[in-house]
Amino acid sequence: MAARAVLPEPAHAPGLGRLVMQVSRELRTLADRQLAPLGLTMQQAELVIATFLHGEKGSRHLTSLVLTDEAGVSRLVDRLEAKGLVRRRPSPRDRRSRALELTPAGRAVVARMRRRRAVVDQRLREGISADDIAATRDVLLRVLDNIARAARAVA
Amino acid sequence: MAARAVLPEPAHAPGLGRLVMQVSRELRTLADRQLAPLGLTMQQAELVIATFLHGEKGSRHLTSLVLTDEAGVSRLVDRLEAKGLVRRRPSPRDRRSRALELTPAGRAVVARMRRRRAVVDQRLREGISADDIAATRDVLLRVLDNIARAARAVA
DNA sequence: TGCGAATACTTGTCTTGACAAGTATTTCCG
DNA sequence: CGGAAATACTTGTCAAGACAAGTATTCGCA
């Protein structure tokens, strides 16, 4: 694993961070292309599914589920509302909050997307053992932890 | 810099894909914040470094190095040119192409950024063995392979 | 030779992501 | 109680990524 301190970092042995970002980018691109026939992006699909699973909560509670911040969720909901898949209702408990709910059209596509997502996820694991997946997950969680620590050091 | 959009949400185990995307996102955010004092983003820093290492090539050759497409590089170069770090020259060998070169100001920041990047990369590996890093890299490469296969299946 | 295909880059549009600032509402506490 | 602080969301701005389409130039080859 490359003692690549300050070295060129050739394309064939990229740093772990770079590799993670490459995988992330290609995952999104693939997902977006597969969802294009439904007229949705990956983020939009995630939000629709999150609304199905955790609906009735305000967008604040959904931000962590779709990997963006509140502002991002707000505009994501704008787009989904424009597509008629989701609706904002005033929340009875807290008038600052607006609860999300799926429209009939929204419910109509959830199952299909979830199935599709599962298939893709399955395909991405092909040829990789459960142990390797688990170990990878573990490493990535530790990296996340290190990122959080570094972020605190900066702040 | 204030309320970090970052950490919450360990909750239950997310899918590997989601985890990769989360790591990617937080990596970029951290890098962008650390580079902010230099007035650069992570992508801009990467392109300046790539120009230093592989300069004199047209942007076509740099796209794979900065994880975006030609259009992205084109606009990235626009921004760096506006900041006076990089310059486009007509390529003598091929008049379609425009060779990139660092300006003195560009060269002046390269060393600092590379050192900084190495430090951060080091910090992200803390507490993770070289073997684990290698195994993780291996798994991610196989995932990349699966993505490519799935992409071909779609196309 | 010359013409169509390929190549290098640019530009337009849409979506996302981060951050800052703004509004409305609720909570906390003196 | 009353006002300060926190909270929930929205909006504005900039940078990126993907994709499509456009321009200029070079290449391949009949």
Side-chain angles (χ1 to χ4, degrees):
Chain A
M1 60 296 4
R4 44 161 237 105
V6 186
L7 280 210
E9 190 175 315
H12 58 276
L16 187 59
R18 177 181 211 75
L19 188 52
V20 167
M21 295 190 24
Q22 185 179 355
V23 172
S24 172
R25 185 173 72 105
E26 297 195 16
L27 271 179
R28 175 182 301 269
T29 300
L30 177 61
D32 281 346
R33 264 196 264 157
Q34 294 189 319
L35 287 167
L38 294 180
L40 293 176
T41 65
M42 192 200 73
Q43 276 298 77
Q44 292 167 11
E46 289 294 321
L47 184 57
V48 170
I49 292 173
T51 302
F52 173 75
L53 295 176
H54 312 84
E56 302 308 312
K57 304 244 183 83
S59 27
R60 183 82 179 87
H61 299 277
L62 296 177
T63 66
S64 61
L65 299 174
V66 291
L67 298 182
T68 187
D69 65 0
E70 275 182 80
V73 172
S74 186
R75 277 184 269 241
L76 204 42
V77 173
D78 286 345
R79 288 186 283 268
L80 286 171
E81 212 170 26
K83 289 177 183 177
L85 300 179
V86 138
R87 203 161 28 214
R88 281 187 252 232
R89 285 188 310 133
S91 169
R93 301 170 21 77
D94 184 340
R95 283 187 302 168
R96 289 169 304 183
S97 187
R98 310 173 70 178
L100 285 187
E101 61 179 14
L102 291 180
T103 63
R107 278 189 294 276
V109 293
V110 166
R112 199 161 23 145
M113 289 190 306
R114 292 177 78 198
R115 191 171 61 245
R116 192 186 293 247
R117 189 169 67 159
V119 167
V120 172
D121 201 71
Q122 178 55 41
R123 204 194 298 237
L124 296 182
R125 293 160 183 260
E126 269 174 20
I128 310 178
S129 74
D131 279 357
D132 283 351
I133 297 282
T136 298
R137 189 198 306 283
D138 198 61
V139 168
L140 292 179
L141 287 172
R142 273 186 284 172
V143 171
L144 268 189
D145 213 59
N146 286 342
I147 293 173
R149 197 184 335 281
R152 276 195 300 277
V154 167
Chain B
M1 35 201 88
R4 301 293 74 112
V6 189
L7 4 151
E9 200 277 297
H12 47 18
L16 186 60
R18 177 183 211 74
L19 188 51
V20 167
M21 294 189 31
Q22 186 179 355
V23 172
S24 172
R25 186 174 70 105
E26 297 195 16
L27 270 179
R28 176 183 300 269
T29 300
L30 177 62
D32 281 346
R33 266 198 260 147
Q34 294 189 320
L35 287 167
L38 294 179
L40 293 175
T41 65
M42 191 199 74
Q43 276 301 77
Q44 291 167 15
E46 289 294 323
L47 184 57
V48 170
I49 292 173
T51 302
F52 173 75
L53 295 176
H54 311 86
E56 304 306 315
K57 304 243 182 87
S59 25
R60 184 81 180 88
H61 299 276
L62 296 177
T63 66
S64 62
L65 299 174
V66 291
L67 298 181
T68 187
D69 64 0
E70 275 180 82
V73 172
S74 186
R75 276 184 270 243
L76 204 43
V77 173
D78 286 346
R79 288 186 283 270
L80 286 171
E81 211 170 26
K83 288 177 183 178
L85 300 180
V86 139
R87 202 160 31 214
R88 280 189 253 234
R89 295 175 39 221
S91 168
R93 300 172 22 77
D94 184 340
R95 282 187 304 167
R96 290 169 302 182
S97 187
R98 308 173 69 179
L100 286 187
E101 60 178 13
L102 292 180
T103 62
R107 278 189 294 276
V109 292
V110 166
R112 198 159 26 145
M113 290 190 305
R114 294 177 76 199
R115 191 172 59 244
R116 192 186 294 245
R117 186 169 69 158
V119 167
V120 171
D121 200 72
Q122 180 54 42
R123 204 195 299 237
L124 296 182
R125 293 159 183 261
E126 268 173 21
I128 309 177
S129 75
D131 280 356
D132 283 351
I133 296 281
T136 298
R137 187 200 307 278
D138 198 60
V139 168
L140 292 179
L141 287 172
R142 272 186 284 170
V143 171
L144 268 189
D145 214 58
N146 287 342
I147 293 173
R149 199 184 332 282
R152 276 195 299 275
V154 167

